Amino acid sequence: MQRVTAKICGLSTPETVDAAISHGASHVGFVFFAKSPRNVAADQARALTLRVPDHVGKVGIFVDADDEAIDRAIRIGGIDTLQLHGREAPERLVALRARHPGIGLWKAIPIRARADLDAAKRYRPVADIILYDAKTPEGTLPGGMGLRFDWALLDGFAHPQRWALSGGIDAGNVADAAGRTGARLIDTSSGVETAPGIKDVDKIASFLQRIAAL
């Protein structure tokens, strides 16, 4: 069976980027969303992505962003994958693929009920990875709030393509998350923080050590 890998999302300091890389993260994520406590500017992201070796994916997280913001993150910020966390339609992904050939495209699908999973099928032809995340309350941030959905909702679901699991996952429950759902790519943000936006190098290390043991 394919081994479990992990993305550490919402990084904003050299120390936490280095911790994610040294302990084996397959991807590191940088948030380009002004309302988030994890938001980084393109030049700040550039200083961080320069620390990342080629074998580690550099993911930019966007929420209904315009072309200019995405262009800047790729050109200046060194991003090689776009994670779209808003209401982007499949057509938006088609347009981004045309605008940025070779870019990775992930689409987050917010989950609260079994019916929410059906949205993933709309993105089958255009997204490289579907990221299942917990649906947050109306009027709040679309992710990074430490919420998890009922993993039993994934039981028997025919995933339309490669997928990842997110939402309230930390070192204490990541083994259960992977074992219960069969996820091979796990995404965490608040699960390795001491406060919103404040990553902890020891929590990152502990999380990735648990991943390596799966």
Side-chain angles (χ1 to χ4, degrees), residues 82 92-105 125-128:
L82 309 179
R92 176 61 172 149
L93 277 70
V94 171
L96 285 168
R97 181 85 70 189
R99 188 177 181 89
H100 300 287
I103 200 77
L105 288 177
V126 291
D128 299 309

Side-chain angles (χ1 to χ4, degrees), residues 105-119:
L105 288 177
W106 297 12
K107 181 66 182 83
I109 303 294
I111 306 297
R112 184 179 296 145
R114 176 79 176 194
D116 294 327
L117 293 169
D118 290 337

Side-chain angles (χ1 to χ4, degrees), residues 4-100:
V4 180
T5 61
K7 168 172 160 273
I8 306 298
C9 196
L11 296 166
S12 59
T13 67
E15 295 78 15
T16 54
V17 169
D18 291 350
I21 294 165
S22 65
H23 291 286
S26 61
H27 299 79
V28 289
F30 305 96
V31 176
F32 297 87
F33 182 52
K35 295 180 180 179
S36 171
R38 305 167 185 90
N39 182 58
V40 294
D43 55 352
Q44 182 183 2
R46 181 62 176 174
L48 298 174
T49 56
L50 284 172
R51 309 176 75 87
V52 182
D54 290 343
H55 70 273
V56 176
K58 298 174 281 291
V59 184
I61 292 79
F62 302 88
V63 180
D64 300 312
D66 60 20
D67 285 342
E68 181 181 355
I70 291 175
D71 290 352
R72 188 183 311 116
I74 295 171
R75 185 181 70 254
I76 301 174
I79 296 303
D80 59 35
T81 299
L82 309 179
Q83 178 180 314
L84 305 179
H85 231 290
R87 300 178 183 274
E88 300 89 357
E91 293 77 14
R92 176 61 172 149
L93 277 70
V94 171
L96 285 168
R97 181 85 70 189
R99 188 177 181 89
H100 300 287

Side-chain angles (χ1 to χ4, degrees), residues 3-6 24 174-175 178 185-186 206-214:
R3 72 183 185 92
V4 180
T5 61
V174 67
L185 176 57
I186 305 283
S206 179
F207 183 85
L208 291 171
Q209 286 162 5
R210 294 290 179 89
I211 289 283
L214 295 177

